[in-house]
Amino acid sequence: MTLPDTAAIPAGDDRTFQVDLRGLVDLLSHHLYSSPRVYLRELLQNAVDALTARHSLEPGASTDAFGIRLYADGSVVRVEDDGVGLTEADVHTFLATIGRSSKRAERIAEQRADFIGQFGIGLLSCFLVADEIHVLSRSARTPDAPTVEWRGRGDGSYTVRTLPASARPRPGTTVTLTPRADAGEWTRPVQVQALARHFGSLLRHSVTFADGTGGTPAPVNPEPAPWTGTYPTPGARSRALAAYGEEVLGFKPLDTIELDLPAVGLKGVACVLPETVPAGRRHGHRVHVKGMLLSEQAEEILPEWAFFVRCVVDAESLRPTASRESLYEDDTLAAVRDALAERLREWIARAAASDPDLLARFLQAHHLAVKSLAVHDDEILRMLLPWLPFETTDGHATLDEFARTHRTVLVTSSVEEFRQVAAIASAAGLGVVNGGYTYDRELVHRLPEIRPEASVADLDPATLTAHLDPVDRETELAAAAYLAQARDALAVFDCDVALRAFQPASAPALLVDSREARHERTRSQLAREQEGGVWGDILGALRQEAPRAQLILNQLNPLVRTAVTITEPELARTSAEALYGQAAMLSRRPLRPAESSLINRSFLDLLAHALRKDS
C-alpha cells in the first residue's frame, strides 16, 4: 500500500467547533453535576467571586458594605450582588463564551487564590432549571459605567443591550431565572432558602433571603464558623465546637479535635463518633472552600484508617474538581491529608497520657481503627497496644491484663482455629488469643517490643495436645479395637484418632486441624490425581509432608466411654463418623461437602441401627 503524498493534499479551511448548548446542558446534568440544585451554589459562587474582586478594587471598603441578596417567590429566582460587575466587553467575552471565566482575566488572575470558581461553566448550570438567564450588570471599574443587559437562552442564542446607568443604580450584578414548570422542586421559595443555607452557611460575605411576602429579609449565614470565634475558656470553646458538630453532623461527639493548618488556610473540627463504625466503612466529610460548601461526602480529606471521625473544614487552598463537588487529588491534598492524620494521632496521644476515661470510651468503640493505625505507626503501637482489647481464652481482655496472667501468650492464625481450641485450652490453663481478625495476630506478635518480659508464640496443635492428659494403659488397650475401626472410617479425611482425658468433660471430642494443613492435603490429593501430567509435576514440586488432622476423643465424656466399648464393626464406624461430624461442627469452620454428607449419613445409620434393635 502506497501512502499519499501529504504535500499534494490541499489545505482545508479552518473551522470553528459548533456547540449544541442543549446537549451540553444535558451532559452537565447527567454526568458532571449530581443534582440540579447546584445551580444556586454556582450563582452564589459567582456572586462571592465578584465581591472578592470588588474588595480588590476597593481595598479600603468595609466588608459589610457589600453583600448578596437572594429572592424567590415561586415565579422567579434572583441573585443580586454588589460585586465588581461587568462591562459590555466583559459580557461578550465571559458570558457568551463557554469555558472562559472572568476570573481568568489578566488583572484578576494574579489573585486567583482568592476566588472559588475556576472553570467558567457555572452559569450553564442555571439551564438545568430555567430556559432563559437574564443578567443585569454594571461595572464598578468606571464611575459612570452603563448597565449591560444579557439574555441567554437554552437554544444557544443570546442578546446584549446597553441600558442607562439608572437601570441598576449601584455597581454589581443581578441574575434572574424564570424556572421551568418541572423545576419547582428546586426553585420554590422554601427550597431556595434551604439551599442557600446549605451551601452558604459559612460564607464570609453577608447573604440574605426574601420571599416576596414583604417581611424583613432573613440572614442566610448569621453566625460565623465556631472556630473563628473567641471564648472565655478552652472548655467553652470545646463545647461550642461540639454543639456545632452535633447540629451539622447529627450526632453528639465523643470528643472534638480542632483542626488548624495555616499553610493551606484550613480550619475546622473533627468530631469523634460515639459508636463503633463497621470495618471498612468510611464516612464523608463536609468540606467548604473559602466558605462555600463543596461536598458533604469528601472521603479523600482523611486517610482510610480515620473512620472514627467526621470532619467539617473550611479551606483556602484546596482545589475542587470541575463539578466543584469533590476535591482534586494533587500534592496539596496529599499534604493536607497527612497533616490532618497527624492531628488525630496527637489527639490519641493526649488522651492516652492525660484522660484515661476518654481513652477507654474511645477504645471501646473504635479499637479496630486504632489497631489498623498501630500496625503502621510505632508511636501509637507503643502507647496503646497494651490497652487494646482482644478476644482471648479469658474473654475479651487487654494484652496488658492477659500477659500478666499468662507467661506465654499463644495466638491462633484464624478465627476457626481459636473456636476449635478455646474451651479446652482455657481448661488446660493455656492463654490463647484469637489472631484471626484483621491486624490482631500481627499486633500480638509485637507485644514483646512493648513488654520485653512477655513471650508470644503461634499456637501449634502439638502444644495443645501436649497439655491433654493421657489415659492409663489399661484403658488404652481396652479401646484399641474401637480406635482402629475409627481410624479406618476417617482415613478418607486424612484424620488420625487418639484417646485423651481433658476438660471440659462435656466436650466429647476435639478436632485439631489447621487451614494450612487442609490446603496441603488438598494439594497432595490433586497431585496424586494429576500424576504424570504438567499440573502433577507442578503440584508435586510444591508437595510437602501433608499433616494429618487429629480427632481426640475425651475419655471423661460419658458418650465416648460408651462408644469405645462398641464391638460391632459397622456401629463402631458409624459412631466414629458421628463424633467426627459433631467435632467438625463445633469447630465452626465451613464444612466440606464430604463432611456434610458424612454427618447426614451417620445420623441416618444410627437411627436405622436403633430401629433394628427395637424391632
Side-chain angles (χ1 to χ4, degrees):
M1 181 177 67
T2 303
L3 296 176
D5 183 1
T6 55
I9 300 176
D13 296 334
D14 288 339
R15 298 180 181 272
T16 302
F17 282 108
Q18 302 298 309
V19 177
D20 180 352
L21 188 58
R22 291 191 184 279
L24 182 58
V25 171
D26 181 72
L27 178 67
L28 294 178
S29 62
H30 289 93
H31 300 285
L32 184 63
Y33 295 127
S34 61
S35 164
R37 68 177 185 168
V38 299
Y39 82 93
L40 191 65
R41 184 197 64 195
E42 298 295 334
L43 290 178
L44 280 173
Q45 192 163 277
N46 288 340
V48 169
D49 285 341
L51 288 174
T52 302
R54 180 76 179 270
H55 281 291
S56 299
L57 188 66
E58 304 175 30
S62 170
T63 305
D64 298 332
F66 310 128
I68 302 171
R69 294 167 293 282
L70 306 180
Y71 176 89
D73 62 3
S75 60
V76 298
V77 175
R78 186 164 62 242
V79 179
E80 182 178 2
D81 67 69
D82 300 317
V84 71
L86 299 171
T87 64
E88 182 176 355
D90 291 337
V91 166
H92 284 289
T93 302
F94 301 122
L95 296 188
T97 305
I98 295 172
R100 182 177 296 173
S101 169
S102 62
K103 277 76 72 179
R104 289 197 172 110
E106 182 177 348
R107 295 184 62 184
I108 297 177
E110 298 175 358
Q111 303 167 351
R112 185 184 184 119
D114 294 334
F115 297 88
I116 302 172
Q118 297 182 37
F119 299 93
I121 58 175
L123 197 63
L124 288 180
S125 65
C126 295
F127 287 121
L128 300 176
V129 297
D131 288 327
E132 182 176 281
I133 305 171
H134 178 233
V135 178
L136 280 178
S137 190
R138 181 180 173 188
S139 176
R141 301 184 186 281
T142 306
D144 58 349
T147 300
V148 181
E149 179 190 58
W150 179 87
R151 289 182 182 272
R153 289 170 286 275
D155 60 5
S157 63
Y158 71 93
T159 58
V160 178
R161 291 193 303 163
T162 301
L163 305 177
S166 59
R168 198 183 193 289
R170 300 175 61 188
T173 301
T174 301
V175 180
T176 304
L177 309 178
T178 301
R180 293 195 305 271
D182 62 353
E185 177 184 358
W186 308 109
T187 57
R188 293 193 304 270
V190 64
Q191 180 72 337
V192 172
Q193 185 177 18
L195 289 175
R197 288 176 174 169
H198 178 74
F199 289 118
S201 63
L202 297 186
L203 288 175
R204 292 82 181 267
H205 303 281
S206 170
V207 184
T208 60
F209 172 80
D211 59 6
T213 59
T216 303
V220 168
N221 52 343
E223 299 292 334
W227 48 81
T228 63
T230 57
Y231 302 88
T233 64
R237 185 177 187 86
S238 179
R239 287 190 293 274
L241 291 173
Y244 177 76
E246 184 173 4
E247 177 187 355
V248 173
L249 300 176
F251 65 88
K252 186 175 183 179
L254 180 67
D255 197 17
T256 58
I257 309 165
E258 188 164 359
L259 307 174
D260 187 3
L261 304 178
V264 292
L266 183 146
K267 291 181 178 291
V269 60
C271 296
V272 182
L273 290 157
E275 298 177 350
T276 302
V277 180
R281 177 181 173 183
R282 298 182 65 191
H283 284 289
H285 308 284
R286 288 178 65 93
V287 175
H288 299 251
V289 175
K290 304 176 184 70
M292 183 70 71
L293 179 64
L294 181 76
S295 173
E296 296 176 275
Q297 299 296 326
E299 295 182 354
E300 61 274 16
I301 196 73
L302 287 181
E304 291 186 5
W305 55 260
F307 53 79
F308 57 87
V309 297
R310 289 191 65 190
C311 296
V312 184
V313 300
D314 186 18
E316 297 287 335
S317 302
L318 294 179
R319 181 181 172 191
T321 59
S323 66
R324 292 193 280 276
E325 295 184 314
S326 59
L327 294 170
Y328 187 82
E329 189 68 47
D330 57 11
D331 291 342
T332 300
L333 178 58
V336 166
R337 184 164 49 238
D338 290 343
L340 293 180
E342 184 59 30
R343 298 296 183 273
L344 300 185
R345 290 189 184 95
E346 291 171 357
W347 175 83
I348 294 174
R350 285 197 304 272
S354 60
D355 197 338
D357 290 338
L358 174 61
L359 179 66
R361 286 183 282 126
F362 170 66
L363 291 180
Q364 184 178 12
H366 301 297
H367 57 271
L368 182 59
V370 178
K371 286 178 179 179
S372 67
L373 176 57
V375 168
H376 307 290
D377 191 309
D378 290 342
E379 183 179 356
I380 295 297
L381 178 78
R382 178 181 56 79
M383 288 188 301
L384 297 183
L385 180 58
W387 316 115
L388 290 173
F390 290 82
E391 185 179 8
T392 76
T393 46
D394 292 350
H396 282 82
T398 67
L399 283 187
D400 192 63
E401 296 169 338
F402 197 67
R404 290 177 184 176
T405 307
H406 301 279
R407 178 176 299 177
T408 299
V409 176
L410 302 173
V411 58
T412 65
S413 60
S414 66
V415 173
E416 67 184 53
E417 185 179 2
F418 180 81
R419 297 284 188 264
Q420 289 176 27
V421 305
I424 296 166
S426 178
L430 295 176
V432 182
V433 178
N434 186 350
Y437 295 117
T438 306
Y439 314 118
D440 282 14
R441 182 167 176 266
E442 181 178 355
L443 288 172
V444 173
H445 273 287
R446 297 191 67 179
L447 180 62
E449 299 176 27
I450 314 303
R451 296 282 188 270
E453 68 278 8
S455 175
V456 177
D458 284 326
L459 177 66
D460 189 300
T463 303
L464 180 63
T465 54
H467 283 76
L468 304 182
D469 296 330
V471 297
D472 58 71
R473 182 172 179 78
E474 183 180 344
T475 302
E476 182 83 30
L477 289 174
Y482 178 84
L483 295 176
Q485 292 281 0
R487 292 186 186 107
D488 184 62
L490 300 180
V492 66
F493 298 112
D494 287 319
C495 183
D496 195 10
V497 184
L499 186 64
R500 297 288 187 274
F502 54 86
Q503 296 291 339
S506 58
L510 169 66
L511 181 61
V512 180
D513 192 18
S514 68
R515 182 182 302 174
E516 292 76 12
R518 291 197 301 276
H519 288 175
E520 180 56 38
R521 292 198 298 273
T522 301
R523 271 199 303 269
S524 298
Q525 181 180 355
L526 287 174
R528 290 193 297 270
E529 294 173 354
Q530 300 287 340
E531 189 171 355
V534 175
W535 276 111
D537 294 339
I538 295 174
L539 292 170
L542 296 175
R543 187 185 307 170
Q544 303 175 8
E545 183 64 29
R548 305 189 72 192
Q550 192 172 32
L551 180 67
I552 303 175
L553 304 180
N554 187 3
Q555 175 63 21
L556 301 181
N557 183 268
L559 176 62
V560 172
R561 288 202 301 269
T562 300
V564 297
T565 64
I566 297 174
T567 58
E568 184 180 337
E570 286 302 318
L571 182 57
R573 293 175 61 90
T574 299
S575 66
E577 291 173 343
L579 287 168
Y580 176 89
Q582 182 184 25
M585 288 191 294
L586 289 175
S587 71
R588 303 185 188 179
R589 64 169 171 79
L591 297 177
R592 290 171 288 177
E595 291 173 330
S596 298
S597 176
L598 174 140
I599 293 171
N600 293 330
R601 186 180 69 250
S602 62
F603 175 79
L604 292 174
D605 288 349
L606 287 172
L607 184 61
H609 183 273
L611 292 174
R612 286 198 302 272
K613 183 177 180 181
D614 290 343
S615 61

